[in-house]
Amino acid sequence: MALTNAFVLLFSCVLAISFCVWGKPATFLDDFQITWSDSHIRQIDGGKAIQLVLDQNSGCGFASKRKYLFGRVSMKIKLIPGDSAGTVTAFYMNSDTDIVRDELDFEFLGNRSGQPYTVQTNIYAHGKGDREQRVNLWFDPSADFHTYTIMWNHHHIVFYVDDVPIRVYKNNEARNIPFPKFQPMGVYSTLWEADDWATRGGLEKIDWSKAPFLAYYKDFDIEGCPVPGPASCASNTGNWWEGSTYQALKAMEARRYRWVRMNHMIYDYCTDKSRYPVIPPECIAGI
């Protein structure tokens, strides 16, 4: 069976014109490794799903075994139910470089029971971040699994929640605005305490009597150019995520995007004049 699978993978790479696009892993350990507190990450259903645990002793985290340059990454996540104030569940990509860092962030900010869950996105390009946007989710993300996706190609970066785009960052390099395209990024997730800022700017503190706090992940899906890997992959316009269908939002996606921004966005750094008296250039160029 292993020999057959290896032959199928090799044949698929040959068909892909001498580059190999990494596909969906079957289980957590196929493509990820625990990076922080292995006692707080538990495999479920033979490794097809995992449980992340936060208690007074520790949070936890995991990361992909490889880095990727362009592609699509998605996971189904079921967030902490009930009173989750002061907790942060993060799903992000990071170049893991100290100075000139590239990073694409989903951060799910815990809440007091009955309040909406807030998702914060942020983008670091060529070492510059501080591009936060916050959206209140229009459903209870702790009641069931929902799909969270990062699409990254040469044209734009799009953050999706259940196929609804909530953030778009366009490639405006022609206007001297940095765009991450040179550094491969790994896929990471963490569950940790951040009650100094996470909920209402730190006003709501974590209630340890509600611990342990549990988040669940499944259906890990990575399709992209692995690094190390064939050098031609990232620049190949034949990759499906570089196709014309994915170079801009479709009409329905654009309508959904406007709906999110009009009805559910609660913070946008582009309009925060106390932080940015001069509007950041990417906000003028269109993000």
Side-chain angles (χ1 to χ4, degrees), residues 180-194:
K181 71 174 190 179
F182 298 111
Q183 299 188 102
M185 291 191 262
V187 183
Y188 298 83
S189 187
T190 53
L191 173 58
W192 50 293
E193 174 207 349

Side-chain angles (χ1 to χ4, degrees), residues 90-97 100-107 120-131 150 152 157 159 167 169 179-181 183-186 188 190 192:
F91 160 41
Y92 59 102
M93 301 186 72
N94 191 317
S95 62
D96 197 24
T97 44
V100 186
R101 174 167 49 131
D102 292 334
E103 184 170 317
L104 312 174
D105 293 339
F106 269 116
E107 292 179 311
Q120 174 171 284
T121 58
N122 197 1
I123 294 169
Y124 283 78
H126 302 185
K128 173 65 172 66
D130 298 327
R131 298 183 173 96
I150 299 172
W152 172 33
I157 297 161
F159 293 78
R167 174 118 189 225
Y169 185 86
F179 186 85
K181 71 174 190 179
Q183 299 188 102
M185 291 191 262
Y188 298 83
T190 53
W192 50 293

Side-chain angles (χ1 to χ4, degrees), residues 48-68:
K48 293 181 181 178
I50 58 170
Q51 178 193 72
L52 272 63
V53 180
L54 168 65
D55 58 26
Q56 285 181 283
N57 295 315
S58 182
C60 57
F62 64 87
S64 59
K65 295 177 180 177
R66 308 180 75 171
K67 292 184 177 181
Y68 303 87

